Amino acid sequence: MTATVELRARPSATDVADIVAALTKDYGARAVTTAAILEQHGHGEGLADTALPDVVVFPHTNEEVAAIVRLAHLTRVPVIAFGVGTSLEGHVAALYGGVCLDLSQMNRVLEVSAADLDCRVQAGVTREQLNAELKGTGLFFPIDPGANATIGGMASTRASGTNAVRYGTMRENVLGLTVVTADGQIVKTGGRARKSSAGYDLTRLFVGSEGTLGIITEIGLRLYGIPESILAAVCQFPDLKSAVDTVIVAMQMGIPVARIELLDDVQMDACIKYSKLEGLASKPTLFFEFHGTEAGAREQSELMQAITDGHGGSAFEWAEKPEDRTRLWKARHAAYYAAMALAPGKQGFATDACVPISRLADCVLETKADADASGLIAPIVGHVGDGNFHLVVLFDPNDPLERAKAEDLAKRVSLRAIAMGGTCTGEHGIGVHKLDALVAEHGAAVELMKSIKRALDPRNILNPGKTVPP
Amino acid sequence: MLDATFHAELATILPPAALLTAAEDTKPYECDGLTLFRETPAAVLLPENEAQVVAILKLCHAARMPVVARGAGTSLSGGALPNAQGVVLSLAKFRKILAIDPLARTAVVQPGVRNQAISEATAPYGLYYAPDPSSQIACSIGGNVAENAGGVHCLKYGLTVHNVCRVRGVLITGETVEFGGDSLDSAGYDLLALITGSEGLLAVITEITVRLLPKPRYAQAALVAFDDLERAGAAVGAIIGAGIIPAGMEMMDQPAIRAVEQFVHANYPLDAQAILLVESDGTPEEVAAEMADIQRLMTDAGATEIRLSKDEAQRVLFWSGRKAAFSAMGRISPDYYCIDGTIPRAALPRVLRAIEGWSAEYGLECANVFHAGDGNLHPLILFDANRAGEIEKTIAFGDRILALCIEVGGTVTGEHGVGVEKLNAMCGQFNSAELIRFHAIKNAFDAHGLLNPGKAVPSLARCAEFGRVHVTRGELRHPDLPRF
C-alpha cells in the first residue's frame, strides 16, 4: 500500500519534437500545433486556468488511438483525451504538456438495437447528436448534463443530469466500453448482456476515471422508450426550506418523478433574465417532470401537487406543449450561463455537493447561509431529487482576494457535504480542483486508487495530475 | 494442518469455540452450493467483530496464509470453496442490522445478514431491498455483494451493484477501507463497483449500506402461453422493444413446465411449448395501463393464452412454479448441469433454437427456466452420470451453449459468478490483454494473492488448458432451497 503514482515533469523538447514529427507524418493535417488550437484544448469550462498541450491530434479509429498511445507510451509523453471541452474541474488542462487526443471526429453512432434498448457509439458523439439520431425509433438517451457534452466525456466523468433521479447516472447506463490502455492495447469491457458476473467490473472502473486509466473510444449505452406521457410543471415557494422539504417528502414517498430541479431566488432571477421566462417570480422554485402512461404521469403530478400545497407552494404552472417544455428545460440547462451573465466580466465555477436525501435540507440551507455571508454572487441550482446541487460561484479574475474567497467557499461546500456522509462531487468529477476533497472524502481508499492507477498506467502518461493525488 | 505457532497466535484473537481445526468441525465448510468440489481447510475461523477480522488478516498476511471468506455458503460456482493450505473466514456471526434510515432509504447491515431479513426488518417503514436471488431466504448480503447477485426483479430494479451505496471492507494487509459513500455518487474511481462481484478476491466485507425501495403499492402477474419456443423468445423482445421494462419477466419451456407442474400444481398449461411470467408493479393505474399494453403485445406475438392474476394469492401461485423449478428438476432426472450464460435479448430466439437443435443432436433433454427479460439463460441439461459417455456429452453441449453466448455478445455468467466452475469459460470470453488488467487490479489489492486464491480470474497459463464440471443432484447441498 505504499505504491505511488510516478511523478511527472514535462517531456523533454527532443521527445516533444520527435512525437510531433511522428504524428505529423502519420496524421498530416490531423496533427495540429497552431497556437489557437492548442489554446482551445488547454482548458475546459469552469476556472479558466489554461495548460497547453504540445500537439492536438484528431484520430478517426480505435486503431489510430491505440497507435498514438503506443507512441506516447514508448517515450513517456502524456496523453490527454478531449471531447468538446465542457468539463468543469480542469480535466483537460495539459499540466505536463503532451498529446491532446481530440476524439470529436470519432462521432458515429455505430449501432442502434431497438429490441435490446441499447446502442453503441463512438466517444465523440454528443448527447444531443445521439438523441437526434434516435428520432423516429421511439427511444431516447436520458443523461443530460447542462452542456452538450460528448458521450465519451460523460462516461469519463461519470456525468449525470436532471434525469438521474429516475434514470440513474452514466454509472447505471453504460453497458460496455472499448478502451485503449496505457500501453496502447484495445480492450473491450462489459458487453451487450444486461448483466455479467464474469471478472472484475472494469466497465464501471473506467467510467468516471477521467482519462487516467485508459482512453474510452466506444461506449455501449442503455436506451429508454420515450414515455407515453410527459408532464412538466413549475412550482414557486415562499422560502428555500419549503422547497427542499417538498423534495424530501416526495422522495420519501417514492414518487417516481423523472426530474425535480431546485433553483434558489438568485438563480431564478438569473434564468428569468437570461432565458426570458415569463410569469415567474425570483423566488425559490422547483421544476418537475413526470414520465409514464397518461394515467401514471397524471397521478404522479397530483400526488406532487398535494405535497407542494402542504409546503406553501404555488399552483403548478404547466408546460403542456412540447415547445413550452423544451423552453423550460433549455432555461434550466442554461442555468450556468445565466448565472455567469449576472455579472459580466466575472468568472465562475460550479460546486458539486451531493448528500443523502435525509441531510439535503441541512446541507442546502447551511450552504445558502454560507454563500450569503460570503458576499459573493453564488446562486444554487440542483438535481435535488438525488441529493445533488450546485453553487455557481462568481468572482473577479483580477481580484486575487475575491478568487481566494470563492475557492474557500467552494471548499467549505465540499467538506460540509462530506461531513454529512455525502460527496464533494455528484457528477463533475475530481479533475485537478478536488484532489484535496477526494482525500478528505475517502481517506485510506485513496491509496487503493493510487495503486490502481499505478497498476493500469505504470508510466503515468494518461492525463497525469488528475483524479488521484500523486 | 495449522502450524503450532500460527495456531497459538490465532488463539490470542479468537476464543476456542471460534477457531475450528478438528476434521469433524471443519467438514461442514468443505464445499458450498457447488458440491462437486470439496476441500478441507486448515482451519475455520468465526470472528464476531471487525477488530478480530483485522487481526486475523494481519496475521495471515504476515504468514502468507490463504484466506477464503464465506457467507451462507450458497454459492453455485464454488466461490466459498476452501483452500487446503488456508483458512476459511466465516462471517456467519456478523448478523446485525445496524441502522435503518427510512428518510434516506438506506440500511446499514453486517455481511452475515440474510438477504430476506433486510426486507423483513424494513417492512414496517414500507421499504424493501430489491435484489432477490432465489436463495434469498438463506443467502447472506455479504455473499450477494461478493457475487453481484441478481434475481427475478433485477430486470427493473438492478443488480446488487445498483442497490448498495457503501461497503466497508478489510484488505489482506488488515487495513480497513470504505468503498463508495452514502450519497448517490462518490468521488474518484468506482471502487464500490470493483468490490461488488469480486468474489472475495479483493477484500473481506464487514459492513454494507444497502439502498431500499418503497414497496410498490400493487403488483400483478400475467401467465402467457405460447405453442412455439422461438415465438416466446421473440415476445420478450416485443415487450422490451416497446420500451416496457416489467418488474419481472421469466420464461419456462415445455420440459420445465411439465417438471414443475407435477411438483407445485400451479395449474400451468401443460400443452404449451413455453410460458412467460410477466409482472408489473406500481400504482394500480400504472399496472392496469402496462398490463393492457403487455396483453396487446402478447396477443400480437402469437400467445395462445393469457391469464392475469386476480389477486395476491394467484400472483404468488403463478410464481411458485418458477421458484420451485430447481427442486422440481431433480424429480425428472438423476443429474443436471446448469448454465448461467447471458445474452442480448434480441438473440434469444436464435440461441433457444440452437439449444433445441443440440438437445436433439446429443440426445439429452434440456429444460429452460430463466430470466428472459435480462437475457440470462439457465438451461438445465438433464443427464445420468451413471450412463457411459453422458457426462462428456453434457459437457460438450454446455460448452457449445456458452460459446454461442459469447459469440452473440453475451457473457458466460450472468449472476452466479465464476468461482472455480467457470474459470475455463473465462478464457473464451476474455483475451490476454483483458485478463492482464484483471490480474493487475488483483495485484494492486493483494500482491501475494492470498484472498480466495485460484478463483474468478484464470491464470494465463490455465487458459491453455480446458475442462468442465457439472452439478449432480445427489451432491447438492440445501436441496430444498429455491434457486436461480
Side-chain angles (χ1 to χ4, degrees), chain A residues 116 158 171 197 212 251 299, chain B residues 105 186 189-190 283 346 413:
Chain A
D116 281 320
R158 202 157 58 231
R171 184 181 194 256
S197 294
T212 62
M251 290 299 110
E299 194 192 9
Chain B
R105 296 210 310 251
S186 173
Y189 297 149
D190 193 347
T283 66
T413 170

Side-chain angles (χ1 to χ4, degrees), chain A residues 277-412:
Chain A
L277 293 177
E278 284 160 22
L280 291 170
S282 299
K283 292 203 292 191
T285 303
L286 291 174
F287 286 14
F288 298 106
E289 194 164 280
F290 308 99
H291 292 183
T293 59
E294 295 252 6
R298 192 167 354 96
E299 194 192 9
Q300 290 169 35
S301 68
E302 283 162 6
L303 282 170
M304 188 64 80
Q305 177 85 71
I307 300 171
T308 59
D309 286 350
H311 288 87
S314 66
F316 279 11
E317 288 280 334
W318 293 98
E320 291 187 22
K321 283 182 286 186
E323 58 268 30
D324 291 344
R325 220 170 53 227
T326 305
R327 209 164 53 87
L328 185 68
W329 290 110
K330 266 221 161 103
R332 162 60 191 95
H333 279 136
Y336 178 72
Y337 307 105
M340 299 291 289
L342 279 176
K346 293 210 177 196
Q347 286 188 7
F349 59 88
T351 67
D352 190 24
C354 184
V355 291
I357 209 85
S358 51
R359 302 305 306 274
L360 184 67
D362 295 339
C363 197
V364 170
L365 296 174
E366 284 180 27
T367 300
K368 175 74 175 169
D370 194 2
D372 287 347
S374 74
L376 297 163
I377 303 176
I380 293 176
V381 58
H383 328 302
V384 278
D386 48 37
N388 189 197
F389 67 93
H390 311 293
L391 208 56
V392 181
V393 187
L394 302 187
F395 67 92
D396 179 349
N398 300 315
D399 179 351
L401 276 177
E402 194 171 283
R403 175 167 174 160
K405 225 199 276 182
E407 288 183 354
D408 283 349
L409 174 62
K411 196 171 176 186
R412 288 196 299 276

Side-chain angles (χ1 to χ4, degrees), chain B residues 269-422:
Chain B
L270 288 172
D271 52 340
Q273 288 301 309
I275 58 170
L276 280 181
L277 289 168
V278 189
E279 183 155 295
S280 176
D281 66 12
T283 66
E285 290 85 349
E286 284 167 337
V287 171
E290 190 165 279
M291 272 300 179
D293 285 342
I294 289 170
Q295 276 178 285
R296 178 177 49 74
L297 288 162
M298 292 300 88
T299 306
D300 293 349
T304 52
E305 189 189 349
I306 303 172
R307 286 185 218 160
L308 297 187
S309 62
K310 303 246 179 311
D311 50 33
E312 185 59 16
Q314 197 178 23
R315 188 185 72 85
V316 171
L317 183 69
F318 281 3
W319 283 109
S320 66
R322 171 61 188 89
K323 298 230 169 192
F326 190 91
S327 339
M329 227 49 72
R331 291 164 63 109
I332 60 165
S333 176
D335 303 284
Y336 57 81
Y337 175 36
C338 173
I339 317 268
D340 184 35
T342 305
I343 56 175
R345 286 172 290 233
L348 270 177
R350 175 180 165 194
V351 174
L352 291 175
R353 187 171 60 235
I355 292 174
E356 217 174 7
W358 290 327
S359 173
E361 184 183 325
Y362 288 104
L364 293 170
E365 200 166 9
C366 181
N368 283 291
V369 183
F370 63 99
H371 310 306
D374 294 320
N376 187 184
L377 306 173
H378 287 321
L380 298 162
I381 303 174
L382 310 183
F383 69 104
D384 184 345
N386 292 325
R387 239 182 264 150
E390 285 218 342
I391 292 179
E392 292 73 17
K393 278 201 289 182
T394 302
I395 289 167
F397 187 177
D399 279 347
R400 286 175 80 173
I401 296 175
L402 288 185
L404 182 60
C405 289
I406 297 170
E407 189 190 319
V408 301
T411 172
V412 296
T413 170
E415 58 180 7
H416 297 168
V418 174
V420 289
E421 189 207 10
K422 288 179 267 306

Side-chain angles (χ1 to χ4, degrees), chain A residues 457-469:
Chain A
D457 179 21
R459 295 185 180 179
N460 194 16
I461 63 163
L462 296 174
N463 208 4
K466 318 288 170 59
T467 318
V468 283

Side-chain angles (χ1 to χ4, degrees), chain A residues 229-244:
Chain A
S229 174
I230 299 178
L231 300 174
V234 178
C235 183
Q236 300 207 287
F237 292 84
D239 55 68
L240 192 57
K241 184 173 190 306
S242 307
V244 178

Side-chain angles (χ1 to χ4, degrees), chain A residues 102-150:
Chain A
D102 183 321
L103 296 160
S104 61
Q105 294 181 11
M106 288 182 67
N107 60 356
R108 278 182 304 130
V109 174
L110 300 169
E111 192 187 351
V112 175
S113 172
D116 281 320
L117 292 185
D118 67 29
C119 70
R120 193 164 185 88
V121 304
Q122 287 187 308
V125 169
T126 66
R127 65 175 181 85
E128 287 179 7
Q129 178 198 347
L130 174 59
N131 278 318
E133 294 201 25
L134 289 172
K135 270 221 169 87
T137 62
L139 304 176
F140 80 115
F141 180 66
I143 315 294
D144 64 337
N148 183 21
T150 61

Side-chain angles (χ1 to χ4, degrees), chain B residues 68-253:
Chain B
V68 177
R70 181 185 176 102
T74 56
S75 164
L76 293 166
S77 56
L81 176 74
N83 182 289
Q85 277 74 49
V87 297
V88 165
L89 183 61
S90 167
L91 282 310
K93 291 185 176 171
F94 285 71
R95 301 189 75 96
K96 284 196 212 87
I97 293 178
L98 301 170
I100 297 170
D101 181 346
L103 204 54
R105 296 210 310 251
T106 56
V108 182
V109 301
Q110 291 189 321
V113 172
R114 289 176 305 110
N115 172 299
Q116 191 160 295
I118 300 174
S119 293
E120 286 162 3
T122 55
Y125 305 97
L127 301 171
Y128 77 114
Y129 176 67
D132 56 344
S134 295
S135 56
Q136 71 183 142
I137 55 169
C139 63
S140 68
I141 186 69
N144 286 183
V145 173
E147 300 289 334
N148 192 18
V152 165
H153 288 90
C154 70
L155 173 61
K156 182 166 176 180
Y157 297 108
L159 300 160
T160 304
V161 70
H162 303 107
N163 289 279
V164 297
C165 55
R166 188 191 63 102
V167 166
R168 186 175 162 89
V170 186
L171 305 180
I172 187 64
T173 53
E175 207 171 337
T176 54
V177 181
E178 303 259 340
F179 305 99
D182 289 336
S183 58
L184 169 86
D185 204 343
S186 173
Y189 297 149
D190 193 347
L191 299 184
L192 178 65
L194 204 53
I195 285 294
T196 309
S198 65
E199 304 195 20
L201 269 73
L202 302 184
V204 175
I205 296 165
T206 54
E207 198 177 290
I208 299 146
T209 305
V210 297
R211 294 182 196 282
L212 304 169
L213 293 178
K215 247 191 240 151
R217 278 195 279 162
Y218 180 63
Q220 189 178 34
L223 191 161
V224 188
F226 291 86
D227 58 9
D228 178 77
L229 185 61
E230 239 184 289
R231 214 170 287 152
V236 171
I239 290 180
I240 301 291
I244 298 172
I245 303 286
M249 181 150 57
E250 301 282 310
M251 194 195 288
M252 300 168 80
D253 69 359

